[in-house]
Amino acid sequence: MSKFTIAVVAGASAAVGAATTAALYGIGSKKESSASTIATTTTTVSNPGATRTTPPPPAPVPLPRNAVPLQPPVDPAGVFQYGFPGPVSDIRNACSLTSSFNRTTRNPHWVAEHITPASLLMTGGDRRHSYFAEDESIPEKFRAKLKDYFRSGYDRGHQVPAADAKWSQEAMDSTFALSNMCPQVGDGFNRDYWAHFEDFCRRLTSFYPSVRIVTGPLYLPKRDPVDGKWRVSYEVVGHPPNVAVPTHFYKVVFAEDGKTGGKVSLGAFVLPNDRIPNDKPLQDFEVPVEAVERASGLEFASLLPPARRKKLCQEVSCSIIVKEYAERQRTPLTPPPAKGIAAQASPIQK
């Protein structure tokens, strides 16, 4: 999907028609109709709404034109006495990430992280001691479950990667909660191009003292080849179906110069949840931040004034470096190539 298509898709809105239910009145049995007729012929009433057993309905109280009653006759907010319907975002503040959870899709709305040169050099955590776990802070009926991913054909895809949280075992463990996961295509994406993209974000710390990243899923519409209409369609995994499979993923990157009120190099990327060739340029997935905001319903930089903004891909070369998986895990701080230099390429295996 091209950057132009992403922006169009993100800004498109689909009107959903709601089915209406007709209320039927005055339908009764023939016996009831007969009784009503008898009563009408034997009883004379001045008010057609009155009967022998019920008083007439109150006459409407007319209000002056454009008048507003002092006391509203209804209280819609009274439903809160039974509980707040939501939506509830389930904000999670862990030592290595902050996130907001979507109870409908069982995926996060967004997950935010912060990496620095110092945090990436620390090695207090080891992923061999970490285990995938359900997030018990989310009500059981809304959370993603380990069994949902079993034989689903998808990876449990970290939104904040474990490699960004090596500075302590607790930090690394916190990235393995399923509230930090989404179903991702494995070969060709989660274990390949997406991993190279995460490596690019880490290498930014060679140029910036502070890098903040917000990552999350998208469910973008696709044009139907038959009727030409745009529709949102995604798979749901689990038995019973429980966790939505995103069509795309985004990252919004804030590369900070470290100065109070300083410049921030801003970059936004949207990648399809699908196999991506390693020779695909990363800049092909760059989009305006506003496109991600309109597609996700979120806001990322509303408090960042234009005077402080720079464009990330004009400051550094937005390109991936493709290496053997084991080698990439050992050298996370390899600096990005110079501008204009194509990404290095070599076979990927895991």
Side-chain angles (χ1 to χ4, degrees):
M1 183 177 287
S2 68
K3 289 187 283 185
F4 175 76
T5 303
I6 286 290
V8 171
V9 167
S13 63
V16 180
T20 58
T21 303
L24 303 180
Y25 296 96
I27 299 178
S29 65
K30 292 181 179 179
K31 183 176 181 181
E32 292 171 339
S33 298
S34 176
S36 176
T37 302
I38 294 172
T40 303
T41 57
T42 59
T43 304
T44 302
V45 293
S46 59
N47 188 330
T51 68
R52 289 180 174 180
T53 58
T54 61
V61 179
L63 290 175
R65 190 178 184 88
N66 299 326
V68 178
L70 296 178
Q71 179 63 40
V74 297
D75 177 23
V79 74
F80 294 155
Q81 66 185 298
Y82 306 114
F84 177 66
V88 177
S89 295
D90 295 302
I91 298 296
R92 179 186 178 212
N93 289 304
C95 55
S96 60
L97 59 88
T98 297
S99 65
S100 170
F101 189 74
N102 185 333
R103 292 184 174 188
T104 301
T105 62
R106 276 64 163 173
N107 288 319
H109 288 290
W110 51 266
V111 188
E113 62 172 314
H114 181 210
I115 55 177
T116 66
S119 72
L120 294 179
L121 288 173
M122 300 171 69
T123 56
D126 188 336
R127 67 180 299 143
R128 292 176 297 180
H129 303 312
S130 298
Y131 302 92
F132 292 97
E134 298 177 12
D135 190 337
E136 296 185 357
S137 68
I138 298 169
E140 192 273 340
K141 62 184 175 182
F142 297 126
R143 75 176 69 135
K145 300 177 175 63
L146 291 169
K147 65 180 181 180
D148 293 328
Y149 285 87
F150 182 66
R151 293 183 177 176
S152 69
Y154 294 96
D155 285 4
R156 293 165 290 198
H158 285 71
Q159 301 302 280
V160 170
D164 291 1
K166 291 181 177 180
W167 50 272
S168 79
Q169 190 62 48
E170 179 187 3
M172 178 162 289
D173 290 346
S174 66
T175 69
F176 279 82
L178 291 188
S179 58
N180 182 45
M181 306 288 161
C182 292
Q184 287 187 325
V185 171
D187 289 336
F189 187 68
N190 181 46
R191 304 172 216 162
D192 294 281
Y193 202 95
W194 184 255
H196 307 324
F197 184 25
E198 293 171 335
D199 175 67
F200 161 77
C201 293
R202 283 189 288 273
R203 287 185 284 111
L204 289 174
T205 59
S206 297
F207 296 86
Y208 301 94
S210 173
V211 178
R212 302 182 190 274
I213 308 163
V214 183
T215 305
L218 291 173
Y219 310 87
L220 298 183
K222 184 178 181 180
R223 188 188 292 275
D224 189 299
V226 178
D227 60 18
K229 295 181 179 180
W230 293 87
R231 291 183 173 86
V232 176
S233 176
Y234 53 83
E235 184 180 352
V236 182
V237 298
H239 302 282
N242 193 45
V243 181
V245 179
T247 64
H248 295 73
F249 290 92
Y250 69 83
K251 280 187 182 290
V252 179
V253 180
F254 303 83
E256 303 168 337
D257 65 8
K259 302 175 183 177
T260 302
K263 301 293 185 179
V264 179
S265 296
L266 191 61
F269 304 84
V270 173
L271 282 67
N273 187 14
D274 203 350
R275 296 178 64 94
I276 301 176
N278 282 327
D279 59 358
K280 182 75 170 175
L282 179 59
Q283 274 195 267
D284 284 359
F285 301 111
E286 183 191 11
V287 300
V289 174
E290 293 75 16
V292 182
E293 291 178 331
R294 297 182 70 175
S296 64
L298 308 172
E299 289 188 313
F300 301 99
S302 59
L303 298 182
L304 181 63
R308 293 182 57 198
R309 299 189 187 196
K310 288 186 173 183
K311 293 185 177 181
L312 180 67
C313 293
Q314 291 182 0
E315 299 297 312
V316 299
S317 175
C318 288
S319 57
I320 64 170
I321 294 179
V322 181
K323 299 179 291 184
E324 294 288 344
Y325 186 84
E327 179 186 356
R328 186 178 64 249
Q329 294 294 93
R330 288 195 300 267
T331 58
L333 286 176
T334 304
K339 292 184 180 181
I341 299 179
Q344 303 174 23
S346 63
I348 282 290
Q349 295 179 351
K350 184 180 178 181

